[in-house]
Amino acid sequence: MFLYLVDLLGTSIFAISGVALAFRLRMDAVGVLVLASVTAIGGGTIRDLVLDVPVFWLSNNAYIWVVIITCILMIIFVKKPAKVPWYILPVSDAIGLAFFTIMGTEKSLQLGFTPTVAVIMGALTGCGGGVIRDVLAREIPLIFRKEIYATASIIGGSIYCLLSMYHVSRIIDVIVAIIAVLIIRLASIKWQLSLPTFGQSR
Amino acid sequence: MFLYLVDLLGTSIFAISGVALAFRLRMDAVGVLVLASVTAIGGGTIRDLVLDVPVFWLSNNAYIWVVIITCILMIIFVKKPAKVPWYILPVSDAIGLAFFTIMGTEKSLQLGFTPTVAVIMGALTGCGGGVIRDVLAREIPLIFRKEIYATASIIGGSIYCLLSMYHVSRIIDVIVAIIAVLIIRLASIKWQLSLPTFGQSR
Amino acid sequence: MFLYLVDLLGTSIFAISGVALAFRLRMDAVGVLVLASVTAIGGGTIRDLVLDVPVFWLSNNAYIWVVIITCILMIIFVKKPAKVPWYILPVSDAIGLAFFTIMGTEKSLQLGFTPTVAVIMGALTGCGGGVIRDVLAREIPLIFRKEIYATASIIGGSIYCLLSMYHVSRIIDVIVAIIAVLIIRLASIKWQLSLPTFGQSR
């Protein structure tokens, strides 16, 4: 139950990052809805397709309605879409990344996959939606920009796998791992932390 | 049987939109084939993957051959590919959008999914192929351009769901809903109808 | 066993093309890993999703580790990433294309699909990973550039289907067909062979 609410909350916040990008690109209501949907639902859909389990939003329409309602609320309450602060997109994206990474890792472990697969599926769930959003909107995917992104997802998934081996309460594991991803990602946005890149002379 | 022929016809016409784009981008025969295939078959493939039913063109190669033959005929009969009228792409895309939206909605309802899911799967079937085509060709996806696009798909799918509740003849339902999508989309191309966008000062 | 080693080798070489592109685009270690992974594993993943068989790297983590180790070795041993010779990318891509096309065709035939489907699945396996790599990196997909690309894949898959009808040793079939793809693709890079394009006045 707790995990379910976390999931719906993550869906809503991730959708906001799609809405923010659509606002910036001056899209109409349907563009907003499309970008919000692929962001919020895309990663988990890829995960379920790859794991060959039923796609999560087919049997439970709550996820779809959360996205739709999020879009409607944003459209109604944001008075000046052009002036949505720039940090709304990366911050809501960071929260979605954190929630979905851990939910994806958790689901894969539950299904009996190895930690290696679970970490990858976590990264796919967390990063997938944002990548589709950025590809459709023809932006450079956040995952390839300078700041730490997928790294946060991989570290968080690994932490969750480690914690889950010691059979602590699942809820605590989830919360700790989500916070770990969030801290890494938000810190890297705030202080523009980045891994060294290749290609420059070194 | 009727639905099957509608499906093959829609496949062929949708393929033409891929051919038209490939011509404009001065691609070779294989580029033509690739763009035509992803447009005509991409949306339905995503739908079948998400619904976890066998992908439609695996067991019935007719769809593939329709695409191949459409490409060959276009290459043979279009004398000046550079001078294909500009409206061929959006009009063939509109017809494909209309046919595939309704076939996708219909298939989902048949499989017992809720109308919410059916409308989304219709939009995914109708818009998916065109989006992949545009992403591969590095064009701004039609779905994000100014004119009404996904809206037509969503309205058409909703009309079909409503009609199907009253158990009228399925064929009539299909025809009415297809025509509805077509009229909305073609009218919006003709008169450049669009939803209000966000982002400008208002 | 032989086919399995060919597969792992192809995975490693295909990953190199992703690494080379990431180096050129001055990405960090995770960008390298992401591009290498989608290139090496993307095409086969799409194939398995469409054929509705378990995704190959879920049950056998060797593929994932081959990609990770390839990335680590490349990062360690390439002293000047900016100076990786330009031909590394197309040549490693060509080898990956050849290996994966034939493995994809072979797998589809084994599963009892028609040669038409097998050739398409071969092309999807061979070209899919590279296309995703190029879309994510916002490059023009190699498949749409001037030189012969998908054509090599389609011809190689067809050759394999023909050979397999005469029940020669599967290993010989695989080797012959892989070499055919390689020769066609490498020759077209070397001498800039291309199919005639449409769109110019002719």
Side-chain angles (χ1 to χ4, degrees):
Chain A
M1 186 62 195
F2 172 76
L3 292 181
Y4 178 55
L5 289 179
V6 168
D7 219 17
L8 287 181
L9 186 64
T11 303
S12 175
I13 297 176
F14 224 175
I16 290 176
S17 76
V19 175
L21 184 57
F23 278 169
R24 187 199 294 163
L25 298 175
R26 309 200 164 182
M27 291 182 173
D28 60 17
V30 172
V32 169
L33 187 59
V34 170
L35 278 198
S37 305
V38 297
T39 311
I41 286 176
T45 303
I46 298 177
R47 175 199 62 206
D48 290 345
L49 291 179
V50 170
L51 296 181
D52 202 15
V53 296
V55 173
F56 67 102
W57 49 271
L58 280 187
S59 49
N60 184 342
N61 295 352
Y63 293 96
I64 294 168
W65 287 108
V66 162
V67 173
I68 294 174
I69 291 167
T70 303
C71 288
I72 293 174
L73 291 179
M74 287 287 286
I75 288 174
I76 292 176
F77 287 109
V78 176
K79 292 294 172 214
K80 306 206 171 195
K83 296 198 174 152
V84 168
W86 70 269
Y87 56 79
I88 292 294
L89 203 169
V91 169
S92 57
D93 184 86
I95 298 172
L97 175 73
F99 280 33
F100 279 24
T101 294
I102 306 309
M103 304 314 284
T105 310
E106 199 266 339
K107 185 165 182 175
S108 306
L109 284 182
Q110 289 287 319
L111 289 167
F113 289 100
T114 61
T116 307
V117 168
V119 170
I120 292 175
M121 297 313 303
L124 207 53
T125 314
C127 306
V131 167
I132 302 177
R133 175 196 63 212
D134 295 338
V135 166
L136 290 187
R138 314 208 318 161
E139 301 275 301
I140 301 174
L142 277 182
I143 199 174
F144 290 136
R145 295 210 205 142
K146 247 181 50 194
E147 288 84 15
I148 286 169
Y149 190 92
T151 314
S153 176
I154 293 170
I155 293 175
S158 306
I159 289 175
Y160 184 81
C161 286
L162 283 177
L163 288 179
S164 72
M165 282 179 197
Y166 294 100
H167 303 288
V168 198
S169 145
R170 229 166 86 200
I171 291 180
I172 293 177
D173 295 354
V174 166
I175 293 174
V176 170
I178 286 178
I179 290 175
V181 179
L182 259 182
I183 289 177
I184 298 174
R185 174 68 185 144
L186 291 179
S188 86
I189 296 175
K190 170 100 177 131
W191 292 289
Q192 305 201 4
L193 306 179
S194 58
L195 299 180
T197 61
F198 308 109
Q200 280 102 332
S201 55
R202 29 167 207 174
Chain B
M1 185 62 194
F2 171 77
L3 291 180
Y4 178 55
L5 289 178
V6 168
D7 219 18
L8 287 181
L9 186 63
T11 303
S12 175
I13 297 176
F14 223 176
I16 290 176
S17 77
V19 175
L21 184 57
F23 278 170
R24 187 201 293 162
L25 298 175
R26 308 199 164 183
M27 290 181 173
D28 61 18
V30 172
V32 169
L33 188 59
V34 170
L35 278 198
S37 306
V38 297
T39 312
I41 286 176
T45 304
I46 298 176
R47 175 200 60 206
D48 290 344
L49 291 178
V50 170
L51 295 182
D52 201 15
V53 297
V55 173
F56 66 102
W57 49 269
L58 281 186
S59 50
N60 184 342
N61 295 350
Y63 293 95
I64 293 167
W65 288 108
V66 162
V67 173
I68 294 173
I69 291 167
T70 303
C71 287
I72 293 174
L73 291 179
M74 287 288 287
I75 288 173
I76 292 176
F77 287 109
V78 176
K79 292 296 172 212
K80 307 206 169 195
K83 296 197 175 152
V84 169
W86 70 270
Y87 55 81
I88 292 294
L89 203 171
V91 169
S92 57
D93 184 86
I95 299 173
L97 174 73
F99 280 33
F100 280 24
T101 294
I102 306 308
M103 304 313 284
T105 311
E106 199 267 340
K107 186 165 183 176
S108 306
L109 284 182
Q110 288 288 318
L111 289 167
F113 289 100
T114 60
T116 307
V117 168
V119 169
I120 291 175
M121 297 312 303
L124 207 54
T125 315
C127 306
V131 167
I132 302 177
R133 175 196 65 212
D134 295 338
V135 166
L136 290 186
R138 315 210 316 162
E139 301 275 302
I140 301 174
L142 278 182
I143 201 175
F144 291 134
R145 295 209 206 144
K146 244 182 50 195
E147 288 84 16
I148 286 170
Y149 190 92
T151 316
S153 177
I154 293 170
I155 294 176
S158 305
I159 290 176
Y160 184 82
C161 286
L162 283 177
L163 287 178
S164 73
M165 282 178 196
Y166 295 99
H167 303 290
V168 198
S169 145
R170 229 165 87 200
I171 291 180
I172 293 177
D173 294 355
V174 166
I175 294 174
V176 170
I178 286 178
I179 291 175
V181 179
L182 260 182
I183 289 177
I184 298 173
R185 173 68 185 144
L186 292 179
S188 87
I189 295 174
K190 171 98 177 134
W191 292 292
Q192 305 201 2
L193 306 180
S194 58
L195 299 180
T197 62
F198 307 109
Q200 281 101 336
S201 55
R202 24 166 208 172
Chain C
M1 186 61 196
F2 172 76
L3 291 181
Y4 178 56
L5 289 179
V6 168
D7 220 17
L8 287 181
L9 185 63
T11 302
S12 174
I13 297 175
F14 223 175
I16 290 176
S17 76
V19 175
L21 183 57
F23 278 170
R24 188 200 294 162
L25 298 176
R26 308 197 165 186
M27 291 181 174
D28 60 18
V30 172
V32 169
L33 186 60
V34 169
L35 277 198
S37 305
V38 297
T39 312
I41 286 176
T45 303
I46 298 176
R47 175 200 61 208
D48 290 344
L49 291 179
V50 170
L51 296 182
D52 202 15
V53 297
V55 172
F56 66 102
W57 49 270
L58 280 187
S59 50
N60 184 343
N61 295 350
Y63 293 95
I64 293 168
W65 287 108
V66 162
V67 173
I68 294 173
I69 291 167
T70 303
C71 287
I72 293 174
L73 291 180
M74 288 287 287
I75 288 174
I76 292 176
F77 287 110
V78 176
K79 293 293 172 215
K80 307 206 171 199
K83 296 196 173 153
V84 168
W86 70 271
Y87 56 80
I88 293 293
L89 201 170
V91 169
S92 58
D93 183 87
I95 298 172
L97 174 73
F99 280 33
F100 279 24
T101 294
I102 306 309
M103 304 313 283
T105 310
E106 199 268 339
K107 185 164 184 178
S108 306
L109 284 182
Q110 289 287 319
L111 289 168
F113 289 100
T114 61
T116 307
V117 168
V119 170
I120 292 175
M121 297 312 304
L124 208 52
T125 315
C127 306
V131 167
I132 301 176
R133 175 196 63 212
D134 295 338
V135 166
L136 289 186
R138 314 209 319 164
E139 301 276 300
I140 300 174
L142 277 182
I143 200 175
F144 291 135
R145 295 207 205 146
K146 247 181 51 195
E147 288 84 15
I148 286 169
Y149 190 92
T151 316
S153 176
I154 293 171
I155 293 175
S158 306
I159 289 176
Y160 184 81
C161 286
L162 282 176
L163 288 177
S164 73
M165 283 179 196
Y166 294 100
H167 303 288
V168 199
S169 144
R170 230 165 87 199
I171 292 179
I172 293 177
D173 294 355
V174 166
I175 294 174
V176 170
I178 286 179
I179 291 175
V181 179
L182 259 182
I183 289 177
I184 298 174
R185 174 68 185 142
L186 291 179
S188 86
I189 296 174
K190 170 100 177 131
W191 292 292
Q192 305 200 2
L193 306 180
S194 58
L195 299 180
T197 61
F198 307 109
Q200 280 102 335
S201 55
R202 28 167 204 172

